[in-house]
Amino acid sequence: MEDAVEPIAVVGLAGRLPGAPTIEAFWRNQRDGVESVTRFSTRQLVDAGWPRDMVTHPDYVPAAAVIEDADHFDAEFFGYTGEQARISDPQQRIFAECVWHALEDTGHDPSRFDGSVGVYAGCFANKYLPLNLLANARFRGSLSAFSARPYNDKDFLATRAAYLCDLRGPAMTVQSACSTSLVAIHLACQALLGHECDMALAGGVALPVPLIGGYPVVAGGIFARDGHCRPFDAASGGTVPGYGVTVVALRRLSDALADNDHIRALVLGSAVNNDGSAKFGFNAPSMQAQAEVIATAQAVAGVAPESIGYIEAHGTATPLGDPIEVAGLTKAFNTGERGFCAIGSAKANIGHLDAAAGAAGFARAVLALEHGEIPPSINFDTPNPALLLDRTPFYVPTTARPWPRGATPRRAGVSAFAVGGTNAHLVLQEAPAPRAAEPDPRDRQLLVLSARSGKALADAASALADRLDRQDDLDLADVAHTLQAGRRAFPLRRHLVCRDRAEATAALRALARPGTVDTADDGEARQVVFMFPGSAAHRPDAATAVHRAEPVFAREVDRCAELARPLLGYDLRALLFPSTWDGPRTGHDDPRGVPLAAFGLQWALARLWQSWGVHPTAMTGEGDGEYVAACLAGVIDLADALGITAADAEARSHAGAGGVPDTYVSAFAAKVAHHELEPPQVPYVCTATGGWITPQDATEPAHWARHLREAAPFAASLRELAGDDGRILLEVGPDSTLTEAVARQETAKQLTALPSLAPAHEGRSGLTALYDTVGRLWRSGVDIDWDAFRGTTRPRRVSLPGYPFQRSRYWIGPDSGSYEPLGLEEASWTSHSSPS
């Protein structure tokens, strides 16, 4: 429908969930029917600080779905001091890490993202401040006590993440109890539709204190006596506590398609409401309100209920909640069809994540759509008779099953209902088919990796190698583009040039070996100096592969060839690319041919570098290489520079023992005088003087004639350039003659010199050498325009492993080392009332 609400694309997912440190591991567990609930020993619980008489009570269930190392954090990555990390609620800490991973999963670096990024999220109750920090005398007596609130209060969850990740869109904490994170996703979708931001991150986090523990079974409570959550089953007795974090990244579909994002699924519509007072009590659910919110979301989405194949239910497995939920769904679907829609709940696998539960369920539904597979509902044997399931549109799948497309795309619904009555429902649809991959003219790819430490970089290389090994449908060009344009560049950098995934995997495994990465490159911004070697460096076929693969280079060579044709009477490409040239093979005995061919190649290489964002702050040239520098500096236009290069070559062809005759020098100066000369826009070292060109010399024909007869040795230019050790000298030519000259000069030892193309004796492809130099420049702190580097191709952004945080434990415990939970003093919870 033309007036339909624009779908919202899910372009990123990240999470740390019970039994799953990554979203990929979470999906494997869901698909394989893994229950990630841990049962703790008495010793574990006592060591964590729980009273022994509590954890040994017969009504205490020592089980919960927890995540590992929730007290650990990569403080250095986020610029935290150790003290700041220790006084921070671990919920804020792991949420910030998850936000970073969600951003990485989008393939967009927020520092280069064209738009604003918002954050909508909520968290479980903060228990770290009252139970740990305020129970610690050293903390209470420290200045940190005065600054602890922003590191702990719910108010600052979203804004803290926005600050740490430098996000400029709206950032707000959302709180509605168990529906918090799904409501946050709804609000993020609304913000995108209202153009309040251009990408939105939404989710939730829940962690307890202590980080492990069970729960008491009390009359009327929501927790299961047997420690298992059994949604929709006849034996259901409640849920199990679960903890973790999930963050999703969202964009308007039109924007995601324009950027070739990895779209995992679409949000077609969403709705939020509240039960009001028409129910038994504040804590009770309302079937009518649930039905209304589901029906509203379906209406907003504009879909028929019969087209929905899966419902990720709230599914707490409580005797009251499940029957009301199924009744509400049945009323909302309002169809006579039976048993066509699967229903399940992530709580069976990972427990009830409270404020983070909705986002975890949302992720499960998204992944089911993405993989085209409905995950099994575990802990289910016999339907709860109160559900009247055979009279509903729903069935409970007990095994993973394929989810084929029908008359409509695959669609799912996700529900979250909260104590207090705030209900949310979203309607999802599978992602549109990705655009067909375009053929890539490059036969190899440049992979770039960076980190803040050698261990992190090695871990990143290992994780990427594992992903390339495991995921057969990953295209190496997509991987390369995502790493280049979609990841933040850190000080420690490495790069690889690889022809295929097998070569990339092997190189990454080598990079991941212990001790391989231990020093950082100079990541400070560096100035680049172009060095043009002139016709002395001409080498046929040195750039044939570059001409075939790089359109900018090919366009500029072709442009020079057309401008030079009237001068030469033949095509200079016959001299540059003889192995592939199918035209007349002429010009080999023309003294003007090689200089013009060399000019065309070096000009085209310079323009290619500039198109990739590598702009020289200075230049120099040897011999007739200076004409390229002058043209690039704006002293003379391209056609005139080619003409002067031809005149120079003609004059030099008549040189004898005394050099170029005066008559040819005069003729040359007269020819230069016919051209319009401008002051240089980029400084360059003149080979005639060995010093910086002046505006007067650049525009004086006599100076150009002096260049023809006199030339200072190249070493003089290097001495001039060596005055600033922040420079990188880039040889813009087909060989490494000037690069090697720099290495031989004692006065230029502090200068870094790199060739654009490999010398013949190395036997490397021109593309391998060129991309290797791009990588080496990037490692040295030179900014590369990666969007321009991809050229005319349209690579996709793909999901790759996130940054391997190097976590350490940051924790302040209570002085007593133990916790006294509320309610422990009741008679039923004392050791005296326990059976003997």
Side-chain angles (χ1 to χ4, degrees):
M1 297 171 59
E2 291 183 3
D3 59 348
V5 174
E6 180 178 10
I8 298 298
V10 181
V11 296
L13 274 180
R16 284 174 67 188
L17 294 159
T22 65
I23 281 292
E24 291 73 27
F26 172 66
W27 172 246
R28 288 195 296 271
N29 288 348
Q30 296 299 310
R31 180 197 60 206
D32 297 342
V34 175
E35 184 180 53
S36 299
V37 175
T38 303
R39 296 192 77 88
F40 305 105
S41 68
T42 299
R43 172 50 54 196
Q44 286 177 299
L45 294 170
V46 171
D47 287 348
W50 293 111
R52 176 176 290 273
D53 56 353
M54 178 180 186
V55 302
T56 57
H57 193 284
D59 288 337
Y60 183 86
V61 181
V66 299
I67 62 173
E68 295 183 355
D69 297 329
D71 53 353
H72 286 55
F73 178 58
D74 193 337
E76 183 181 4
F77 181 90
F78 289 103
Y80 271 56
T81 65
E83 184 66 7
Q84 287 172 326
R86 281 187 291 273
I87 68 170
S88 177
D89 179 4
Q91 294 185 114
Q92 280 201 19
R93 302 187 321 214
I94 70 168
F95 181 74
E97 290 183 345
C98 196
V99 164
W100 187 268
H101 279 165
L103 285 165
E104 289 188 317
D105 197 56
T106 69
H108 289 278
D109 174 2
S111 68
R112 290 176 280 174
F113 181 70
D114 185 17
S116 65
V117 182
V119 185
Y120 300 80
C123 60
F124 185 54
N126 171 258
K127 297 188 176 183
Y128 188 64
L129 178 63
L131 298 183
N132 280 32
L133 300 183
L134 297 181
N136 183 285
R138 189 196 66 82
F139 168 80
R140 291 198 309 271
S142 71
L143 292 176
S144 296
F146 293 98
S147 57
R149 182 179 172 241
Y151 294 94
N152 286 272
D153 199 303
K154 287 182 174 184
D155 286 9
F156 305 102
L157 177 74
T159 52
R160 176 70 63 182
Y163 170 76
L164 294 174
C165 300
D166 193 21
L167 309 178
R168 309 299 178 89
M172 59 184 70
T173 298
V174 179
Q175 295 299 155
S176 61
C178 317
S179 62
T180 288
S181 54
L182 202 64
V183 171
I185 295 172
H186 163 79
L187 292 176
C189 293
Q190 296 303 306
L192 288 165
L193 292 172
H195 291 263
E196 294 175 9
C197 55
D198 304 289
M199 180 188 291
L201 302 166
V205 59
L207 287 178
V209 172
L211 295 173
I212 66 168
Y215 54 89
V217 177
V218 297
I222 66 168
F223 294 119
R225 180 171 288 279
D226 64 359
H228 299 284
C229 182
R230 306 177 186 276
F232 315 116
D233 189 74
S236 61
T239 191
V240 176
Y243 304 101
V245 56
T246 304
V247 175
V248 306
L250 308 165
R251 297 190 75 190
R252 292 179 290 272
L253 176 59
S254 55
D255 293 339
L257 290 172
D259 278 348
N260 240 6
D261 287 349
H262 173 214
I263 301 175
R264 293 177 178 266
L266 303 178
V267 179
L268 298 185
S270 64
V272 170
N273 72 2
N274 191 274
D275 297 342
S277 61
K279 54 185 181 178
F280 294 116
F282 181 75
N283 295 348
S286 165
M287 182 274 286
Q288 181 63 30
Q290 291 180 14
E292 288 173 359
V293 80
I294 295 164
T296 301
Q298 292 175 354
V300 171
V303 302
E306 292 84 357
S307 69
I308 296 172
Y310 175 68
I311 292 291
E312 174 64 25
H314 190 59
T316 56
T318 59
L320 181 65
D322 281 6
I324 287 179
E325 179 166 13
V326 172
L329 279 163
T330 302
K331 183 177 178 65
F333 270 57
N334 189 28
T335 177
E337 293 191 31
R338 298 290 178 254
F340 65 86
C341 182
I343 187 170
S345 171
K347 293 177 181 66
N349 306 76
I350 61 171
H352 189 351
L353 270 64
D354 197 90
F362 180 90
R364 188 177 195 249
V366 166
L367 292 164
L369 288 164
E370 184 176 16
H371 291 276
E373 193 170 5
I374 293 176
S377 187
I378 65 171
N379 301 331
F380 181 87
D381 294 313
T382 305
N384 182 346
L387 302 181
L388 304 175
L389 205 59
D390 58 348
R391 303 182 193 178
T392 75
F394 310 106
Y395 71 93
V396 180
T398 55
T399 59
R401 58 185 64 193
W403 189 358
R405 294 183 182 91
T408 60
R410 288 185 287 256
R411 289 175 181 151
V414 184
S415 292
F417 311 129
V419 169
T422 295
N423 308 307
H425 188 82
L426 279 75
V427 177
L428 309 183
Q429 180 172 290
E430 65 179 312
R435 181 181 301 168
E438 299 176 9
D440 193 330
R442 294 172 174 168
D443 62 356
R444 59 210 67 214
Q445 300 295 331
L446 171 63
L447 308 184
V448 295
L449 296 95
S450 71
R452 293 190 182 275
S453 71
K455 176 64 165 56
L457 201 147
D459 289 349
S462 179
L464 183 56
D466 289 344
R467 179 65 62 85
L468 292 177
D469 253 352
R470 187 173 67 245
Q471 198 167 338
D472 293 338
D473 61 346
L474 271 182
D475 184 271
L476 196 61
D478 295 340
V479 173
H481 174 63
T482 301
L483 293 172
Q484 293 160 4
R487 295 296 173 92
R488 184 70 54 88
F490 298 109
L492 189 60
R493 305 180 182 185
R494 293 294 183 268
H495 74 281
L496 308 165
V497 179
C498 308
R499 286 173 295 188
D500 52 37
R501 285 176 43 195
E503 187 173 281
T505 301
L508 288 164
R509 297 250 184 258
L511 186 59
R513 292 189 191 117
T516 302
V517 182
D518 53 10
T519 58
D521 296 294
D522 184 357
E524 296 296 322
R526 303 286 292 277
Q527 297 180 346
V528 177
V529 176
F530 282 0
M531 302 189 297
F532 299 101
S535 55
H538 175 68
R539 180 160 60 89
D541 278 326
T544 299
V546 181
H547 188 259
R548 184 170 53 246
E550 297 298 336
V552 171
F553 178 81
R555 182 183 69 236
E556 294 297 332
V557 166
D558 297 348
R559 180 184 174 200
C560 289
E562 293 306 314
L563 290 172
R565 190 186 298 276
L567 297 171
L568 299 175
Y570 56 86
D571 199 308
L572 58 79
R573 288 171 289 195
L575 300 175
L576 286 173
F577 318 118
S579 67
T580 58
W581 181 250
D582 56 4
R585 297 180 178 274
T586 57
H588 296 282
D589 56 353
D590 182 354
R592 302 168 303 163
V594 165
L596 284 174
F599 183 105
L601 182 144
Q602 291 167 43
W603 165 266
L605 267 181
R607 296 296 288 167
L608 179 62
W609 281 118
Q610 287 182 314
S611 76
W612 291 343
V614 181
H615 298 284
T617 58
M619 296 180 285
T620 189
E622 185 170 50
D624 52 5
E626 185 172 331
Y627 297 137
V628 187
C631 185
L632 206 65
V635 174
I636 189 169
D637 71 24
L638 181 59
D640 293 344
L642 287 163
I644 287 177
T645 300
D648 178 290
E650 180 71 26
R652 290 180 192 276
S653 69
H654 295 279
V660 178
D662 289 343
T663 54
Y664 285 97
V665 174
S666 299
F668 180 73
K671 183 172 182 61
V672 172
H674 281 93
H675 299 304
E676 185 175 349
L677 304 177
E678 300 288 344
Q681 301 302 304
V682 180
Y684 63 90
V685 177
C686 174
T687 55
T689 64
W692 294 103
I693 191 75
T694 66
Q696 294 76 20
D697 285 345
T699 54
E700 174 53 57
H703 171 79
W704 291 64
R706 181 183 175 190
H707 170 270
L708 183 63
R709 297 207 63 180
E710 306 171 21
F714 186 65
S717 297
L718 293 183
R719 284 193 294 271
E720 193 69 41
L721 294 169
D724 187 341
D725 60 7
R727 291 179 172 135
I728 296 177
L729 275 53
L730 177 61
E731 183 168 356
V732 186
D735 220 309
S736 61
T737 53
L738 300 186
T739 302
E740 293 167 9
V742 172
R744 290 192 298 269
Q745 292 294 320
E746 288 295 328
T747 57
K749 287 296 184 185
Q750 73 273 30
L751 291 174
T752 299
L754 301 173
S756 293
L757 302 174
H761 66 80
E762 286 190 8
R764 288 194 297 164
S765 153
L767 282 177
T768 298
L770 180 65
Y771 300 159
D772 180 65
T773 297
V774 174
R776 293 172 71 183
L777 287 170
W778 175 78
R779 285 173 58 171
S780 298
V782 176
D783 285 335
I784 305 296
D785 184 339
W786 294 115
D787 287 331
F789 180 74
R790 76 183 182 196
T792 57
T793 61
R794 292 276 296 156
R796 302 186 186 103
R797 300 175 197 269
V798 292
S799 177
L800 299 176
Y803 187 89
F805 293 118
Q806 304 299 296
R807 301 179 175 110
S808 297
R809 187 172 189 262
Y810 295 96
W811 196 254
I812 295 175
D815 289 335
S816 66
S818 63
Y819 298 85
E820 297 293 335
L822 295 175
L824 187 60
E825 296 303 317
E826 288 187 10
S828 62
W829 276 101
T830 65
S831 58
H832 304 293
S833 67
S834 300
S836 58

